[in-house]
Amino acid sequence: MVRQTGLTGVHAVQALSLGREGVPLRWIDEAHPAPATLCAAAERLTFARSPDDLYPGLRAPVPPDYGAWLSTTLIAAANMGGARLIDARFAVVRDAPDRLVPIQRIPHFDDADPSIFAAVHYLCSPPHRGTAFYRHRATGFERIDGSRVPAWRQALMADARAIGLPPPVYPSGAGPAFELIGAAPLTFNRLVIYPANCLHAGEIGDSWQDDHPRLTITALFQCESALHNATGRVATGGPSRIG
């Protein structure tokens, strides 16, 4: 655990390296100076499904100043200068497991471009759970860069033939096709940062039906940073299901 002082105040920053491929994971506790205002803003919004989005729930726009705050925080607390925000939205999981298509029942990546990072801002509390990170057993992949996309697609088809389609449940822990390499536990106002090309999944459990929803802000941003050491230079998009 290290403590750094920046424009956003003093943050507790946890830095981890996961798995065989050294997936860099960071989280910042007590990240936002006024998280209750973000929750209040979310309560006033109308959430809706986003077209062409595999996120199993509803989204809504974040306040206009959130992107500037996120960029400042990434520079001050996570040493990620030059971050360019691509997208940031409130998100609430709402889909029952039996509505999930097979690709939503396994760990996923958000983008194969090694300069793209994902951030998940937890705006709820336990018993909601956080985000888990995985290794694909057959290939050993923990990240899917552009050079690996064809092999990844072939491996998923091979898994379906050898193991069968995944059952209609949210991904949780190790299974026949994936092993767990780490997790970012959920704590209110924790900001979690990781490469968008790593295999991960939200630990949803029963949160989809909770009266107190698993509210998060999910974001994608681009940053040519030393934090990310994945190989591969070809940008090939994956399913957008952050956090």
Side-chain angles (χ1 to χ4, degrees), residues 24-235:
L25 171 65
R26 302 288 186 272
W27 67 71
I28 304 168
D29 285 334
E30 300 179 10
H32 196 276
T37 63
L38 295 175
C39 296
E43 290 179 357
R44 296 191 295 267
L45 295 171
T46 299
F47 282 65
R49 294 189 182 276
S50 298
D52 302 320
D53 186 358
L54 286 172
Y55 184 78
L58 309 174
R59 299 191 192 263
V62 296
D65 59 352
Y66 185 85
W69 168 82
L70 180 60
S71 295
T72 299
T73 299
L74 294 172
I75 294 169
N79 195 28
M80 298 183 74
R84 179 181 66 84
L85 186 66
I86 298 171
D87 181 71
R89 287 174 285 174
F90 287 110
V92 174
V93 175
R94 275 291 179 244
D95 289 358
D98 60 8
R99 290 190 57 186
L100 302 178
V101 297
I103 196 66
Q104 293 175 303
R105 305 172 192 170
I106 62 172
H108 65 281
F109 68 100
D110 298 313
D111 198 297
D113 186 335
S115 71
I116 305 296
F117 291 81
V120 180
H121 193 172
Y122 301 141
L123 294 174
C124 54
S125 300
H128 294 301
R129 300 171 63 197
T131 306
F133 300 86
Y134 293 88
R135 176 187 303 122
H136 183 241
R137 293 186 186 276
T139 62
F141 293 166
E142 297 165 356
R143 309 182 187 185
I144 311 298
D145 64 23
S147 67
R148 288 178 169 179
V149 169
W152 171 245
R153 292 171 176 162
Q154 292 173 7
L156 291 185
M157 291 188 290
D159 284 348
R161 292 191 297 268
I163 303 170
L165 292 176
V169 296
Y170 282 100
S172 180
F178 294 89
E179 54 187 311
L180 190 68
I181 63 170
L186 185 147
T187 295
F188 181 72
N189 199 23
R190 172 174 286 172
L191 181 69
V192 178
I193 305 159
Y194 51 87
N197 70 359
C198 71
L199 293 172
H200 63 281
E203 298 182 292
I204 304 303
D206 293 329
S207 292
W208 62 274
Q209 59 184 347
D210 201 295
D211 291 336
H212 302 283
R214 185 181 182 272
L215 177 66
T216 64
I217 293 176
T218 64
L220 288 176
F221 60 96
Q222 188 165 36
C223 182
E224 300 289 349
S225 170
L227 175 64
H228 189 79
N229 59 13
T231 59
R233 301 179 183 277
V234 180

